[in-house]
Amino acid sequence: VGHAALPLIAAFDATGMLISSLQRSPMGIDRDRGCGALLFLLGVWAWLRTWQRLQANPGTEAAQGVPTPAQRALLGTLAALGSMDLFGPDGLGLHPCPPFGALRSHHWIFGMLQAVALECQLRLLLVLRNGEVLLRLLGATRTMGLAIALFLGGLTAS
């Protein structure tokens, strides 16, 4: 029953990233209020990942966690913009383009940790969909699990 809230928590975290990004400046000019563009893209990726993962038919690659082309494109854009910051004036200084704020703001690191937490939540949701795994987590043996499954099957039939 508790695992039914995992998609809701994932959507809440993604929405939090989107709202946080809209309250920041898009570029990393301001040290405390920067990286809005990167957080916005990360929030869009988190929403897209959650939505596509939950809407996928069971047994498909998307339901198993394989990224779709849209998710890969967003992740590639995030990596490209982050590497621009790494090679820009705040990092190695190889180009003079203005930074996006990935190296100036600690909020970007928290956003990345939220993305990792999203993946963990979605993976846990996938594992908990299997009833046998859930019964094992509750400490039920195989025989006990079969007995509970038969009992619940009898309740739903009557």
Side-chain angles (χ1 to χ4, degrees):
V1 175
H3 68 280
L6 286 174
L8 189 62
I9 293 169
F12 180 76
D13 287 342
T15 305
M17 274 192 276
L18 285 173
I19 290 172
S20 176
S21 72
L22 295 176
Q23 296 172 346
R24 306 188 169 286
S25 65
M27 301 298 279
I29 298 166
D30 185 9
R31 182 171 288 278
D32 296 329
R33 310 285 305 154
C35 77
L38 294 175
L39 278 177
F40 181 78
L41 287 173
L42 193 61
V44 169
W45 175 83
W47 253 111
L48 181 68
R49 183 90 170 137
T50 303
W51 180 257
Q52 288 182 342
R53 189 89 176 259
L54 295 176
Q55 295 298 320
N57 293 328
T60 61
E61 288 184 348
Q64 298 298 322
V66 177
T68 62
Q71 294 170 9
R72 285 187 184 131
L74 272 172
L75 210 53
T77 304
L78 279 167
L81 293 177
S83 66
M84 281 185 63
D85 273 5
L86 181 64
F87 296 118
D90 288 345
L92 300 174
L94 299 178
H95 66 77
C97 295
F100 284 96
L103 300 176
R104 286 187 180 184
S105 176
H106 65 282
H107 298 286
W108 172 244
I109 295 169
F110 290 136
M112 292 301 290
L113 290 175
Q114 283 180 332
V116 171
L118 169 72
E119 283 300 314
C120 292
Q121 288 170 353
L122 293 177
R123 181 69 63 184
L124 181 63
L125 181 65
L126 183 67
V127 169
L128 290 179
R129 282 188 180 166
N130 185 354
E132 186 177 322
V133 172
L134 187 59
L135 288 173
R136 262 194 216 147
L137 284 175
L138 294 174
T141 62
R142 183 170 172 79
T143 310
M144 203 173 173
L146 289 173
I148 292 172
L150 286 172
F151 176 71
L152 291 176
L155 283 178
T156 57
S158 59

